[in-house]
Amino acid sequence: MIVAVAGGKGGVGKTTVALNLGAALDAVVVDADLGMPDVAAGRSRGPDLHDVLAGRAAPVEAVREGGPVDLLPCGRSLAGARAADVTALAGALRRVARAYGTAVVDCPAGMAADAGIPLFAASKCVLVTTPDRVALPDAVRTWALATELDAGVARVVLNRAGADPPVDRVERALGVPATVVPESDAVDRATATGRPVSTVDPDCVPARRFRELGEAVGNG
Amino acid sequence: MVRLVSRTRREGPVTLVEAALVNDGPLPRRVRVESRLDGPVWPPRRRGVPESGWDGRTYAVALDAGERLGFGFASPAQPVDPPVALVADDPPAFDATPDTPADVVRALGDPAPPTDAVALPEPDIPPAAGGDGPPAPGPDRPGPDPPERGTDPSDQGTDPPREGGDPP
């Protein structure tokens, strides 16, 4: 199974959701943000997604095991992004999913092909948005793109939600159930070091919500 | 959602319909409008051919987010209110469902940074005095580590099109 974590706008927490959903599903998290990679790869060295998309490494060779979540990181150089053939991403994701069972893809912001290819390859997607007037329209655009590319939208995550998130409005607009993840220091601390929040505070509300999200996506 | 406003005017034996489509939403939309008049539709023509979008009693057009578009037609039928109705209001679509990643790139655009944005690699070693040899290899990152296990040459991520979908 390939699950795309998408959202349109940058900075809404796609990486956080991908990391935590990957942990909940025991999946490989693929950082597909070819231009601005975000998932902390730690100190491990080896081929990355740029190498895979340039034909220099096989997808499964680039998966880093042994961390809190299996990870296929992305290179950080412009030259690497330039050399990467984005059309190879769909095949690479399928190979990772075939070898490991599930791949969770952290999609880039925007509506260009690097955001479209994971949706093209995915059978499901999770939309991430913050509950504000700037991010929500981007989530709607991404929903439309995901629908056109047949990536069934399984859930929308209302991330960094305050006291009274517009759950009804978002669920009505997108036609999918929402998972509310409140603002949390534990989540920020965990994401900064490439860990799911369950490793920092397994009983906090965000950790519980991510477990529920994993069950919903895994069973849906 | 797209709004449709319209009005009619009678000029002798002919009813003139004026209408406007307004896309207030954040997304481009594809819409189709149909005449409600009880009679034939005479669309605007160029060199005798109906303008693009007209097909019998319907007019189809794509609207960008925030776009307003006026259109009109004539008919010998008596006016009715409203003279036109919105019969389809859909999200934008690819011309055809993409079959390959290349279709997606063609539709959405290649995200790779332009060549001009990528600095030429700096040589690691200064060339020998007077030497005209090629610059020393020195991209900004080392190549991948050697694989730790056997690599199946067929297991590259570069085979493009379809594999019949994602395994469940």
mmCIF file of all heavy atoms in Angstrom, chain A residues 1-2 45-48 57-61 77-78 82 87-88 94-95 98 113-114 117 120 123 141 148-149, chain B residues 26-27 92-94 98 101 109 111 113 115 117 140-142 144 149 151 154-157 159 162-163 166:
data_model
loop_
_atom_site.group_PDB
_atom_site.id
_atom_site.type_symbol
_atom_site.label_atom_id
_atom_site.label_comp_id
_atom_site.label_asym_id
_atom_site.label_seq_id
_atom_site.Cartn_x
_atom_site.Cartn_y
_atom_site.Cartn_z
ATOM 1 N N MET A 1 0.848 -1.194 0.000
ATOM 2 C CA MET A 1 0.000 0.000 0.000
ATOM 3 C C MET A 1 0.886 1.247 0.000
ATOM 4 O O MET A 1 1.896 1.304 0.697
ATOM 5 C CB MET A 1 -0.881 -0.017 1.265
ATOM 6 C CG MET A 1 -1.734 1.225 1.435
ATOM 7 S SD MET A 1 -2.945 1.069 2.785
ATOM 8 C CE MET A 1 -1.904 1.113 4.237
ATOM 9 N N ILE A 2 0.511 2.215 -0.804
ATOM 10 C CA ILE A 2 1.206 3.503 -0.810
ATOM 11 C C ILE A 2 0.218 4.554 -0.313
ATOM 12 O O ILE A 2 -0.888 4.674 -0.842
ATOM 13 C CB ILE A 2 1.694 3.878 -2.220
ATOM 14 C CG1 ILE A 2 2.674 2.822 -2.749
ATOM 15 C CG2 ILE A 2 2.362 5.250 -2.213
ATOM 16 C CD1 ILE A 2 3.041 2.997 -4.213
ATOM 17 N N ARG A 45 24.381 7.373 6.721
ATOM 18 C CA ARG A 45 24.824 7.739 5.378
ATOM 19 C C ARG A 45 24.392 6.663 4.410
ATOM 20 O O ARG A 45 24.158 5.529 4.783
ATOM 21 C CB ARG A 45 26.364 7.852 5.349
ATOM 22 C CG ARG A 45 26.933 8.912 6.262
ATOM 23 C CD ARG A 45 26.676 10.295 5.712
ATOM 24 N NE ARG A 45 27.213 10.460 4.378
ATOM 25 C CZ ARG A 45 28.450 10.890 4.125
ATOM 26 N NH1 ARG A 45 29.257 11.189 5.114
ATOM 27 N NH2 ARG A 45 28.883 11.022 2.882
ATOM 28 N N GLY A 46 24.313 7.037 3.160
ATOM 29 C CA GLY A 46 23.948 6.051 2.156
ATOM 30 C C GLY A 46 23.219 6.742 1.035
ATOM 31 O O GLY A 46 23.026 7.955 1.053
ATOM 32 N N PRO A 47 22.816 5.977 0.046
ATOM 33 C CA PRO A 47 22.090 6.582 -1.071
ATOM 34 C C PRO A 47 20.757 7.141 -0.598
ATOM 35 O O PRO A 47 20.200 6.688 0.401
ATOM 36 C CB PRO A 47 21.903 5.415 -2.047
ATOM 37 C CG PRO A 47 22.048 4.185 -1.224
ATOM 38 C CD PRO A 47 22.983 4.522 -0.101
ATOM 39 N N ASP A 48 20.272 8.139 -1.311
ATOM 40 C CA ASP A 48 18.997 8.757 -0.947
ATOM 41 C C ASP A 48 18.084 8.786 -2.173
ATOM 42 O O ASP A 48 18.414 8.224 -3.226
ATOM 43 C CB ASP A 48 19.224 10.157 -0.368
ATOM 44 C CG ASP A 48 20.021 11.042 -1.308
ATOM 45 O OD1 ASP A 48 19.762 10.968 -2.531
ATOM 46 O OD2 ASP A 48 20.895 11.803 -0.851
ATOM 47 N N ALA A 57 20.878 4.187 -7.582
ATOM 48 C CA ALA A 57 20.651 3.233 -6.490
ATOM 49 C C ALA A 57 19.258 2.647 -6.630
ATOM 50 O O ALA A 57 18.353 3.289 -7.167
ATOM 51 C CB ALA A 57 20.794 3.937 -5.134
ATOM 52 N N ALA A 58 19.116 1.440 -6.133
ATOM 53 C CA ALA A 58 17.795 0.810 -6.129
ATOM 54 C C ALA A 58 16.995 1.366 -4.951
ATOM 55 O O ALA A 58 17.580 1.692 -3.910
ATOM 56 C CB ALA A 58 17.937 -0.693 -6.001
ATOM 57 N N PRO A 59 15.679 1.461 -5.103
ATOM 58 C CA PRO A 59 14.869 2.057 -4.019
ATOM 59 C C PRO A 59 15.091 1.396 -2.665
ATOM 60 O O PRO A 59 15.260 2.086 -1.657
ATOM 61 C CB PRO A 59 13.433 1.874 -4.516
ATOM 62 C CG PRO A 59 13.543 1.800 -6.001
ATOM 63 C CD PRO A 59 14.860 1.148 -6.289
ATOM 64 N N VAL A 60 15.120 0.054 -2.637
ATOM 65 C CA VAL A 60 15.244 -0.591 -1.324
ATOM 66 C C VAL A 60 16.631 -0.398 -0.716
ATOM 67 O O VAL A 60 16.786 -0.459 0.502
ATOM 68 C CB VAL A 60 14.897 -2.102 -1.384
ATOM 69 C CG1 VAL A 60 13.426 -2.306 -1.663
ATOM 70 C CG2 VAL A 60 15.732 -2.831 -2.408
ATOM 71 N N GLU A 61 17.630 -0.134 -1.556
ATOM 72 C CA GLU A 61 18.973 0.135 -1.008
ATOM 73 C C GLU A 61 19.000 1.436 -0.233
ATOM 74 O O GLU A 61 19.865 1.650 0.620
ATOM 75 C CB GLU A 61 20.004 0.251 -2.148
ATOM 76 C CG GLU A 61 20.087 -0.926 -3.062
ATOM 77 C CD GLU A 61 20.780 -2.096 -2.417
ATOM 78 O OE1 GLU A 61 21.294 -1.954 -1.302
ATOM 79 O OE2 GLU A 61 20.795 -3.163 -3.047
ATOM 80 N N SER A 77 20.686 18.573 -2.125
ATOM 81 C CA SER A 77 21.360 19.500 -3.033
ATOM 82 C C SER A 77 20.477 19.847 -4.224
ATOM 83 O O SER A 77 19.666 19.040 -4.676
ATOM 84 C CB SER A 77 22.669 18.876 -3.531
ATOM 85 O OG SER A 77 22.382 17.822 -4.421
ATOM 86 N N LEU A 78 20.657 21.066 -4.718
ATOM 87 C CA LEU A 78 19.942 21.487 -5.922
ATOM 88 C C LEU A 78 20.348 20.626 -7.115
ATOM 89 O O LEU A 78 19.529 20.278 -7.953
ATOM 90 C CB LEU A 78 20.280 22.950 -6.237
ATOM 91 C CG LEU A 78 19.345 24.011 -5.679
ATOM 92 C CD1 LEU A 78 19.845 25.374 -6.117
ATOM 93 C CD2 LEU A 78 17.919 23.797 -6.152
ATOM 94 N N ARG A 82 18.000 18.477 -9.473
ATOM 95 C CA ARG A 82 17.991 18.689 -10.921
ATOM 96 C C ARG A 82 18.160 17.354 -11.655
ATOM 97 O O ARG A 82 17.547 17.119 -12.692
ATOM 98 C CB ARG A 82 19.119 19.662 -11.285
ATOM 99 C CG ARG A 82 19.285 19.913 -12.748
ATOM 100 C CD ARG A 82 18.196 20.808 -13.298
ATOM 101 N NE ARG A 82 18.054 20.643 -14.725
ATOM 102 C CZ ARG A 82 17.008 21.028 -15.435
ATOM 103 N NH1 ARG A 82 15.998 21.611 -14.857
ATOM 104 N NH2 ARG A 82 16.963 20.840 -16.723
ATOM 105 N N THR A 87 9.615 11.241 -12.866
ATOM 106 C CA THR A 87 8.723 10.184 -13.367
ATOM 107 C C THR A 87 9.099 8.816 -12.792
ATOM 108 O O THR A 87 8.284 7.903 -12.777
ATOM 109 C CB THR A 87 8.735 10.091 -14.910
ATOM 110 O OG1 THR A 87 10.047 9.787 -15.340
ATOM 111 C CG2 THR A 87 8.273 11.383 -15.556
ATOM 112 N N ALA A 88 10.361 8.685 -12.320
ATOM 113 C CA ALA A 88 10.786 7.406 -11.734
ATOM 114 C C ALA A 88 10.245 7.222 -10.317
ATOM 115 O O ALA A 88 10.352 6.137 -9.744
ATOM 116 C CB ALA A 88 12.313 7.320 -11.726
ATOM 117 N N ARG A 94 6.453 2.067 -5.603
ATOM 118 C CA ARG A 94 5.850 0.732 -5.690
ATOM 119 C C ARG A 94 6.841 -0.336 -5.226
ATOM 120 O O ARG A 94 6.465 -1.304 -4.577
ATOM 121 C CB ARG A 94 5.409 0.445 -7.125
ATOM 122 C CG ARG A 94 4.223 1.297 -7.535
ATOM 123 C CD ARG A 94 3.580 0.793 -8.810
ATOM 124 N NE ARG A 94 2.583 1.766 -9.244
ATOM 125 C CZ ARG A 94 2.743 2.590 -10.267
ATOM 126 N NH1 ARG A 94 3.841 2.548 -10.983
ATOM 127 N NH2 ARG A 94 1.808 3.456 -10.583
ATOM 128 N N ARG A 95 8.095 -0.152 -5.566
ATOM 129 C CA ARG A 95 9.095 -1.145 -5.151
ATOM 130 C C ARG A 95 9.279 -1.145 -3.639
ATOM 131 O O ARG A 95 9.413 -2.196 -3.012
ATOM 132 C CB ARG A 95 10.404 -0.874 -5.876
ATOM 133 C CG ARG A 95 10.356 -1.412 -7.272
ATOM 134 C CD ARG A 95 11.604 -1.108 -8.065
ATOM 135 N NE ARG A 95 11.668 -1.977 -9.211
ATOM 136 C CZ ARG A 95 10.842 -1.910 -10.256
ATOM 137 N NH1 ARG A 95 9.896 -0.981 -10.280
ATOM 138 N NH2 ARG A 95 10.940 -2.753 -11.251
ATOM 139 N N ARG A 98 6.298 -2.803 -2.161
ATOM 140 C CA ARG A 98 6.308 -4.246 -2.375
ATOM 141 C C ARG A 98 7.272 -4.921 -1.395
ATOM 142 O O ARG A 98 6.992 -5.988 -0.852
ATOM 143 C CB ARG A 98 6.730 -4.547 -3.820
ATOM 144 C CG ARG A 98 6.324 -5.918 -4.300
ATOM 145 C CD ARG A 98 6.672 -6.103 -5.760
ATOM 146 N NE ARG A 98 6.051 -5.103 -6.603
ATOM 147 C CZ ARG A 98 6.602 -4.579 -7.692
ATOM 148 N NH1 ARG A 98 7.814 -4.947 -8.067
ATOM 149 N NH2 ARG A 98 5.962 -3.695 -8.409
ATOM 150 N N ALA A 113 4.302 18.483 -10.497
ATOM 151 C CA ALA A 113 4.308 17.033 -10.702
ATOM 152 C C ALA A 113 4.919 16.274 -9.529
ATOM 153 O O ALA A 113 4.545 15.128 -9.280
ATOM 154 C CB ALA A 113 5.065 16.703 -11.986
ATOM 155 N N ASP A 114 5.849 16.894 -8.788
ATOM 156 C CA ASP A 114 6.434 16.153 -7.657
ATOM 157 C C ASP A 114 5.393 15.922 -6.565
ATOM 158 O O ASP A 114 5.508 14.984 -5.780
ATOM 159 C CB ASP A 114 7.690 16.842 -7.105
ATOM 160 C CG ASP A 114 7.470 18.302 -6.783
ATOM 161 O OD1 ASP A 114 6.443 18.861 -7.192
ATOM 162 O OD2 ASP A 114 8.347 18.887 -6.124
ATOM 163 N N ILE A 117 2.851 13.089 -8.623
ATOM 164 C CA ILE A 117 3.286 11.699 -8.849
ATOM 165 C C ILE A 117 2.988 10.795 -7.640
ATOM 166 O O ILE A 117 2.468 9.692 -7.817
ATOM 167 C CB ILE A 117 4.792 11.644 -9.220
ATOM 168 C CG1 ILE A 117 5.027 12.379 -10.540
ATOM 169 C CG2 ILE A 117 5.297 10.215 -9.245
ATOM 170 C CD1 ILE A 117 4.858 11.580 -11.780
ATOM 171 N N PHE A 120 -0.536 10.015 -7.797
ATOM 172 C CA PHE A 120 -0.762 9.099 -8.918
ATOM 173 C C PHE A 120 -0.447 7.664 -8.493
ATOM 174 O O PHE A 120 -1.176 6.723 -8.828
ATOM 175 C CB PHE A 120 0.122 9.528 -10.089
ATOM 176 C CG PHE A 120 0.169 8.559 -11.230
ATOM 177 C CD1 PHE A 120 -0.863 8.494 -12.155
ATOM 178 C CD2 PHE A 120 1.257 7.713 -11.389
ATOM 179 C CE1 PHE A 120 -0.809 7.595 -13.214
ATOM 180 C CE2 PHE A 120 1.322 6.819 -12.440
ATOM 181 C CZ PHE A 120 0.280 6.755 -13.355
ATOM 182 N N SER A 123 -2.631 4.589 -3.386
ATOM 183 C CA SER A 123 -4.013 4.131 -3.381
ATOM 184 C C SER A 123 -4.841 4.929 -2.377
ATOM 185 O O SER A 123 -6.064 4.945 -2.449
ATOM 186 C CB SER A 123 -4.079 2.641 -3.049
ATOM 187 O OG SER A 123 -3.437 2.390 -1.827
ATOM 188 N N ARG A 141 -7.734 22.405 -2.893
ATOM 189 C CA ARG A 141 -7.104 22.196 -4.210
ATOM 190 C C ARG A 141 -6.434 20.818 -4.266
ATOM 191 O O ARG A 141 -6.524 20.112 -5.258
ATOM 192 C CB ARG A 141 -6.046 23.274 -4.473
ATOM 193 C CG ARG A 141 -6.626 24.631 -4.727
ATOM 194 C CD ARG A 141 -5.532 25.611 -5.152
ATOM 195 N NE ARG A 141 -6.065 26.949 -5.165
ATOM 196 C CZ ARG A 141 -5.947 27.815 -4.162
ATOM 197 N NH1 ARG A 141 -5.260 27.485 -3.077
ATOM 198 N NH2 ARG A 141 -6.494 29.005 -4.235
ATOM 199 N N GLU A 148 -8.700 13.585 -8.790
ATOM 200 C CA GLU A 148 -8.459 13.355 -10.216
ATOM 201 C C GLU A 148 -7.444 12.246 -10.449
ATOM 202 O O GLU A 148 -7.483 11.564 -11.471
ATOM 203 C CB GLU A 148 -7.946 14.632 -10.865
ATOM 204 C CG GLU A 148 -9.029 15.651 -11.077
ATOM 205 C CD GLU A 148 -8.558 16.734 -12.010
ATOM 206 O OE1 GLU A 148 -8.296 16.413 -13.176
ATOM 207 O OE2 GLU A 148 -8.415 17.874 -11.550
ATOM 208 N N LEU A 149 -6.523 12.093 -9.513
ATOM 209 C CA LEU A 149 -5.471 11.093 -9.691
ATOM 210 C C LEU A 149 -5.810 9.781 -8.985
ATOM 211 O O LEU A 149 -4.959 8.910 -8.827
ATOM 212 C CB LEU A 149 -4.133 11.652 -9.186
ATOM 213 C CG LEU A 149 -3.585 12.795 -10.043
ATOM 214 C CD1 LEU A 149 -2.385 13.458 -9.383
ATOM 215 C CD2 LEU A 149 -3.196 12.284 -11.424
ATOM 216 N N PRO B 26 -12.143 28.873 -4.875
ATOM 217 C CA PRO B 26 -10.680 28.873 -4.938
ATOM 218 C C PRO B 26 -10.123 27.943 -6.016
ATOM 219 O O PRO B 26 -8.916 27.892 -6.199
ATOM 220 C CB PRO B 26 -10.283 28.368 -3.551
ATOM 221 C CG PRO B 26 -11.400 27.451 -3.170
ATOM 222 C CD PRO B 26 -12.647 28.010 -3.785
ATOM 223 N N LEU B 27 -10.994 27.203 -6.697
ATOM 224 C CA LEU B 27 -10.535 26.213 -7.676
ATOM 225 C C LEU B 27 -11.038 26.543 -9.063
ATOM 226 O O LEU B 27 -12.141 27.074 -9.199
ATOM 227 C CB LEU B 27 -11.109 24.838 -7.335
ATOM 228 C CG LEU B 27 -10.591 24.114 -6.128
ATOM 229 C CD1 LEU B 27 -11.430 22.873 -5.892
ATOM 230 C CD2 LEU B 27 -9.150 23.714 -6.360
ATOM 231 N N PRO B 92 -11.709 20.851 -12.056
ATOM 232 C CA PRO B 92 -10.934 20.771 -13.292
ATOM 233 C C PRO B 92 -10.449 19.351 -13.509
ATOM 234 O O PRO B 92 -10.372 18.564 -12.579
ATOM 235 C CB PRO B 92 -9.752 21.699 -13.034
ATOM 236 C CG PRO B 92 -9.627 21.725 -11.555
ATOM 237 C CD PRO B 92 -11.006 21.566 -11.013
ATOM 238 N N ALA B 93 -10.132 19.024 -14.725
ATOM 239 C CA ALA B 93 -9.714 17.653 -15.004
ATOM 240 C C ALA B 93 -8.538 17.651 -15.962
ATOM 241 O O ALA B 93 -8.324 18.599 -16.696
ATOM 242 C CB ALA B 93 -10.863 16.874 -15.625
ATOM 243 N N PHE B 94 -7.801 16.580 -15.883
ATOM 244 C CA PHE B 94 -6.833 16.337 -16.936
ATOM 245 C C PHE B 94 -7.615 16.106 -18.229
ATOM 246 O O PHE B 94 -8.777 15.693 -18.182
ATOM 247 C CB PHE B 94 -5.997 15.097 -16.622
ATOM 248 C CG PHE B 94 -5.058 15.294 -15.484
ATOM 249 C CD1 PHE B 94 -5.456 15.011 -14.192
ATOM 250 C CD2 PHE B 94 -3.786 15.779 -15.698
ATOM 251 C CE1 PHE B 94 -4.587 15.201 -13.129
ATOM 252 C CE2 PHE B 94 -2.911 15.975 -14.638
ATOM 253 C CZ PHE B 94 -3.318 15.688 -13.360
ATOM 254 N N PRO B 98 -4.542 10.372 -16.445
ATOM 255 C CA PRO B 98 -3.155 10.055 -16.766
ATOM 256 C C PRO B 98 -2.865 8.565 -16.615
ATOM 257 O O PRO B 98 -3.290 7.941 -15.652
ATOM 258 C CB PRO B 98 -2.355 10.880 -15.764
ATOM 259 C CG PRO B 98 -3.308 11.263 -14.697
ATOM 260 C CD PRO B 98 -4.667 11.243 -15.285
ATOM 261 N N PRO B 101 3.403 8.246 -15.266
ATOM 262 C CA PRO B 101 3.949 9.413 -14.569
ATOM 263 C C PRO B 101 4.264 10.557 -15.532
ATOM 264 O O PRO B 101 4.118 11.725 -15.177
ATOM 265 C CB PRO B 101 5.214 8.859 -13.916
ATOM 266 C CG PRO B 101 4.954 7.404 -13.748
ATOM 267 C CD PRO B 101 4.112 7.004 -14.925
ATOM 268 N N GLY B 109 3.540 19.991 -14.789
ATOM 269 C CA GLY B 109 4.795 20.725 -14.908
ATOM 270 C C GLY B 109 5.917 20.056 -14.144
ATOM 271 O O GLY B 109 5.713 19.503 -13.066
ATOM 272 N N PRO B 111 8.903 19.844 -11.789
ATOM 273 C CA PRO B 111 9.304 20.678 -10.661
ATOM 274 C C PRO B 111 10.817 20.863 -10.530
ATOM 275 O O PRO B 111 11.268 21.546 -9.628
ATOM 276 C CB PRO B 111 8.785 19.884 -9.463
ATOM 277 C CG PRO B 111 8.904 18.460 -9.920
ATOM 278 C CD PRO B 111 8.649 18.459 -11.396
ATOM 279 N N PRO B 113 14.502 22.125 -10.495
ATOM 280 C CA PRO B 113 15.003 23.497 -10.586
ATOM 281 C C PRO B 113 15.640 23.728 -11.954
ATOM 282 O O PRO B 113 16.221 22.811 -12.522
ATOM 283 C CB PRO B 113 16.045 23.577 -9.469
ATOM 284 C CG PRO B 113 16.388 22.174 -9.130
ATOM 285 C CD PRO B 113 15.199 21.335 -9.488
ATOM 286 N N THR B 115 18.183 24.682 -14.913
ATOM 287 C CA THR B 115 19.633 24.448 -14.963
ATOM 288 C C THR B 115 20.397 25.664 -14.443
ATOM 289 O O THR B 115 21.399 25.530 -13.754
ATOM 290 C CB THR B 115 20.059 24.164 -16.415
ATOM 291 O OG1 THR B 115 19.177 23.176 -16.931
ATOM 292 C CG2 THR B 115 21.476 23.657 -16.478
ATOM 293 N N ALA B 117 19.818 27.507 -12.103
ATOM 294 C CA ALA B 117 19.834 27.617 -10.647
ATOM 295 C C ALA B 117 20.863 26.692 -10.024
ATOM 296 O O ALA B 117 21.130 26.776 -8.841
ATOM 297 C CB ALA B 117 18.454 27.272 -10.085
ATOM 298 N N ASP B 140 28.659 18.319 -5.563
ATOM 299 C CA ASP B 140 28.532 18.822 -4.194
ATOM 300 C C ASP B 140 28.228 17.721 -3.195
ATOM 301 O O ASP B 140 28.041 17.982 -2.038
ATOM 302 C CB ASP B 140 27.452 19.892 -4.133
ATOM 303 C CG ASP B 140 26.128 19.355 -4.607
ATOM 304 O OD1 ASP B 140 26.110 18.276 -5.230
ATOM 305 O OD2 ASP B 140 25.115 19.997 -4.344
ATOM 306 N N ARG B 141 28.086 16.511 -3.632
ATOM 307 C CA ARG B 141 27.886 15.426 -2.669
ATOM 308 C C ARG B 141 28.537 14.169 -3.208
ATOM 309 O O ARG B 141 28.670 14.005 -4.404
ATOM 310 C CB ARG B 141 26.403 15.194 -2.416
ATOM 311 C CG ARG B 141 25.630 14.763 -3.623
ATOM 312 C CD ARG B 141 24.199 14.525 -3.268
ATOM 313 N NE ARG B 141 24.051 13.728 -2.059
ATOM 314 C CZ ARG B 141 24.316 12.439 -1.985
ATOM 315 N NH1 ARG B 141 24.752 11.799 -3.036
ATOM 316 N NH2 ARG B 141 24.130 11.788 -0.872
ATOM 317 N N PRO B 142 28.955 13.318 -2.318
ATOM 318 C CA PRO B 142 29.564 12.078 -2.801
ATOM 319 C C PRO B 142 28.519 11.163 -3.405
ATOM 320 O O PRO B 142 27.327 11.335 -3.156
ATOM 321 C CB PRO B 142 30.153 11.470 -1.519
ATOM 322 C CG PRO B 142 29.339 12.058 -0.417
ATOM 323 C CD PRO B 142 28.879 13.412 -0.880
ATOM 324 N N PRO B 144 26.619 7.487 -3.956
ATOM 325 C CA PRO B 144 26.050 6.607 -2.941
ATOM 326 C C PRO B 144 27.088 5.608 -2.447
ATOM 327 O O PRO B 144 28.016 5.254 -3.159
ATOM 328 C CB PRO B 144 24.923 5.903 -3.694
ATOM 329 C CG PRO B 144 25.280 6.021 -5.138
ATOM 330 C CD PRO B 144 26.041 7.301 -5.272
ATOM 331 N N ARG B 149 23.980 -5.186 0.030
ATOM 332 C CA ARG B 149 23.509 -6.502 -0.397
ATOM 333 C C ARG B 149 23.396 -6.503 -1.917
ATOM 334 O O ARG B 149 23.478 -5.444 -2.535
ATOM 335 C CB ARG B 149 22.187 -6.835 0.260
ATOM 336 C CG ARG B 149 21.211 -5.699 0.182
ATOM 337 C CD ARG B 149 19.999 -5.986 1.019
ATOM 338 N NE ARG B 149 19.467 -4.729 1.521
ATOM 339 C CZ ARG B 149 18.257 -4.598 2.015
ATOM 340 N NH1 ARG B 149 17.486 -5.622 2.103
ATOM 341 N NH2 ARG B 149 17.831 -3.450 2.435
ATOM 342 N N THR B 151 22.371 -6.279 -5.588
ATOM 343 C CA THR B 151 21.399 -5.420 -6.236
ATOM 344 C C THR B 151 20.866 -6.116 -7.470
ATOM 345 O O THR B 151 21.622 -6.499 -8.343
ATOM 346 C CB THR B 151 22.080 -4.116 -6.664
ATOM 347 O OG1 THR B 151 22.659 -3.542 -5.512
ATOM 348 C CG2 THR B 151 21.065 -3.157 -7.260
ATOM 349 N N SER B 154 17.270 -5.255 -12.207
ATOM 350 C CA SER B 154 15.930 -4.895 -12.661
ATOM 351 C C SER B 154 15.206 -4.081 -11.599
ATOM 352 O O SER B 154 14.135 -3.564 -11.826
ATOM 353 C CB SER B 154 15.120 -6.146 -12.972
ATOM 354 O OG SER B 154 14.832 -6.826 -11.760
ATOM 355 N N ASP B 155 15.815 -3.982 -10.404
ATOM 356 C CA ASP B 155 15.118 -3.361 -9.294
ATOM 357 C C ASP B 155 15.437 -1.869 -9.211
ATOM 358 O O ASP B 155 15.719 -1.335 -8.170
ATOM 359 C CB ASP B 155 15.511 -4.073 -7.996
ATOM 360 C CG ASP B 155 14.537 -3.741 -6.876
ATOM 361 O OD1 ASP B 155 13.388 -3.391 -7.184
ATOM 362 O OD2 ASP B 155 14.954 -3.824 -5.716
ATOM 363 N N GLN B 156 15.478 -1.232 -10.334
ATOM 364 C CA GLN B 156 15.693 0.211 -10.356
ATOM 365 C C GLN B 156 14.336 0.900 -10.367
ATOM 366 O O GLN B 156 13.358 0.347 -10.819
ATOM 367 C CB GLN B 156 16.468 0.616 -11.614
ATOM 368 C CG GLN B 156 17.851 0.006 -11.687
ATOM 369 C CD GLN B 156 18.788 0.572 -10.615
ATOM 370 O OE1 GLN B 156 18.764 1.760 -10.331
ATOM 371 N NE2 GLN B 156 19.605 -0.276 -10.042
ATOM 372 N N GLY B 157 14.338 2.125 -9.868
ATOM 373 C CA GLY B 157 13.070 2.839 -9.828
ATOM 374 C C GLY B 157 12.793 3.587 -11.108
ATOM 375 O O GLY B 157 12.044 4.533 -11.125
ATOM 376 N N ASP B 159 11.853 2.344 -14.209
ATOM 377 C CA ASP B 159 10.951 1.870 -15.242
ATOM 378 C C ASP B 159 9.692 2.692 -15.171
ATOM 379 O O ASP B 159 9.084 2.789 -14.146
ATOM 380 C CB ASP B 159 10.628 0.389 -15.052
ATOM 381 C CG ASP B 159 9.918 0.117 -13.769
ATOM 382 O OD1 ASP B 159 10.030 0.952 -12.862
ATOM 383 O OD2 ASP B 159 9.248 -0.891 -13.661
ATOM 384 N N ARG B 162 2.989 2.213 -16.004
ATOM 385 C CA ARG B 162 2.048 1.368 -15.309
ATOM 386 C C ARG B 162 2.511 -0.007 -14.892
ATOM 387 O O ARG B 162 3.153 -0.721 -15.633
ATOM 388 C CB ARG B 162 0.866 1.123 -16.252
ATOM 389 C CG ARG B 162 -0.116 2.215 -16.231
ATOM 390 C CD ARG B 162 -0.897 2.153 -15.020
ATOM 391 N NE ARG B 162 -1.530 3.420 -14.833
ATOM 392 C CZ ARG B 162 -1.913 3.837 -13.652
ATOM 393 N NH1 ARG B 162 -1.720 3.116 -12.619
ATOM 394 N NH2 ARG B 162 -2.475 4.976 -13.525
ATOM 395 N N GLU B 163 2.087 -0.388 -13.745
ATOM 396 C CA GLU B 163 2.273 -1.770 -13.342
ATOM 397 C C GLU B 163 0.927 -2.339 -12.937
ATOM 398 O O GLU B 163 0.841 -3.241 -12.144
ATOM 399 C CB GLU B 163 3.194 -1.858 -12.140
ATOM 400 C CG GLU B 163 4.594 -1.408 -12.434
ATOM 401 C CD GLU B 163 5.478 -1.576 -11.233
ATOM 402 O OE1 GLU B 163 4.960 -1.869 -10.150
ATOM 403 O OE2 GLU B 163 6.684 -1.424 -11.401
ATOM 404 N N ASP B 166 -1.376 -0.295 -7.546
ATOM 405 C CA ASP B 166 -0.720 -0.539 -6.286
ATOM 406 C C ASP B 166 -1.233 -1.839 -5.670
ATOM 407 O O ASP B 166 -2.427 -2.070 -5.633
ATOM 408 C CB ASP B 166 -1.090 0.644 -5.386
ATOM 409 C CG ASP B 166 -0.511 0.496 -4.020
ATOM 410 O OD1 ASP B 166 0.603 -0.017 -3.937
ATOM 411 O OD2 ASP B 166 -1.186 0.889 -3.069
#
